[in-house]
Amino acid sequence: MIQNQMEADPSDAPGEVGPGAGTSDGHRADTRQRILDVALDLFTEQGYDGTSLRQIAERLGITKAALYYHFQSKEDILLALHMRLHEFGRESLRQLGDEPVTLKLWGELLDDLIDQMLPQRKILLLHQRNEAALEKIHSRDHAAENEFIFNRLRTVVSDPNIALGDRVRMTAAVGVVFSGLFLGGEAFVGVSDEELRTLLRQVLHDVLGR
């Protein structure tokens, strides 16, 4: 069905990636990101259920066929946006060695996480405003990514080589970051990134005790 749609309207807006277009991987990636950015705006403004693929295509100035070239469904777009969250701090977690983690290192990791997430606050609003739609999404890649992140966090805070008091502080510090950014998303809409960053770090390091 998707293939037929693509063949029915092969002419896309100038410069867009469509069926049979001989464009570079970089161009395709750029178009994909533009689709995600526009979808993020619409999903956040009018809700996932209230947004159609046609509306996304029209705002981009492309055909639905061009949209299907990158995403087979609206659910695929929502999942791709959700997966952006997994990019936050993933490399920091991978880089944690096998040695016991100190409060100082943990604080630096969470500081870095705040820096990565604040410019993407719209993604956090997307999650708050479309919880029901997101709960229905599942994929093998999504599950594997969640498992890696949570298992890595659990491994660190379960390490008996780290003092219990420090492990409790580390666990609570993670809660500070995620509650401040996720649960406080709507409440802090009018707060600048810089002000929120300063306040979050202040509370974070109060919890870590330094």
Side-chain angles (χ1 to χ4, degrees):
M1 179 180 178
I2 292 172
Q3 182 63 31
N4 291 338
Q5 286 175 299
M6 290 165 62
E7 291 173 352
D9 187 4
S11 59
D12 302 331
E16 294 299 338
V17 177
T23 52
S24 67
D25 289 343
H27 192 174
R28 285 195 292 270
D30 180 65
T31 303
R32 178 183 171 88
Q33 290 307 313
R34 288 181 55 224
I35 292 171
L36 290 175
D37 289 341
V38 167
L40 175 59
D41 287 339
L42 289 172
F43 292 166
T44 305
E45 292 166 9
Q46 56 193 40
Y48 172 79
D49 291 331
T51 301
S52 67
L53 287 175
R54 183 175 300 280
Q55 287 176 306
I56 296 171
E58 287 176 352
R59 183 169 289 197
L60 280 161
I62 63 176
T63 65
K64 282 183 69 177
L67 198 61
Y68 279 124
Y69 183 75
H70 296 276
F71 297 98
Q72 294 187 5
S73 67
K74 192 170 70 165
E75 289 81 4
D76 285 346
I77 296 176
L78 184 62
L79 178 60
L81 286 170
H82 171 69
M83 292 301 286
R84 283 182 172 181
L85 279 182
H86 292 277
E87 297 173 10
F88 302 140
R90 183 193 298 154
E91 286 309 310
S92 297
L93 284 173
R94 290 187 190 278
Q95 291 169 15
L96 287 176
D98 295 327
E99 297 300 317
V101 177
T102 64
L103 289 181
K104 180 176 184 297
L105 179 59
W106 198 247
E108 290 170 355
L109 184 149
L110 293 178
D111 277 342
D112 182 58
L113 191 60
I114 290 171
D115 285 341
Q116 291 181 58
M117 293 180 76
L118 275 175
Q120 302 292 333
R121 289 167 71 184
K122 192 173 287 186
I123 292 280
L124 308 180
L125 285 176
L126 168 74
H127 280 70
Q128 281 195 303
R129 296 174 180 177
N130 297 276
E131 288 182 10
L134 283 158
E135 285 176 1
K136 297 176 183 177
I137 290 179
H138 176 78
S139 78
R140 181 176 300 174
D141 290 342
H142 177 211
E145 191 68 27
N146 273 339
E147 186 177 358
F148 164 76
I149 291 173
F150 286 106
N151 281 346
R152 192 70 184 96
L153 289 172
R154 279 193 293 265
T155 297
V156 173
V157 299
S158 300
D159 187 348
N161 294 306
I162 303 173
L164 178 59
D166 288 352
R167 285 191 279 145
V168 170
R169 291 186 181 90
M170 290 161 64
T171 305
V174 173
V176 167
V177 174
F178 281 91
S179 61
L181 292 174
F182 274 97
L183 299 181
E186 293 282 6
F188 303 147
V189 166
V191 181
S192 71
D193 286 358
E194 192 53 46
E195 184 176 8
L196 188 54
R197 177 185 289 108
T198 299
L199 292 172
L200 273 177
R201 282 181 168 167
Q202 197 171 55
V203 176
L204 169 65
H205 293 292
D206 283 347
V207 170
L208 291 175
R210 64 180 181 87

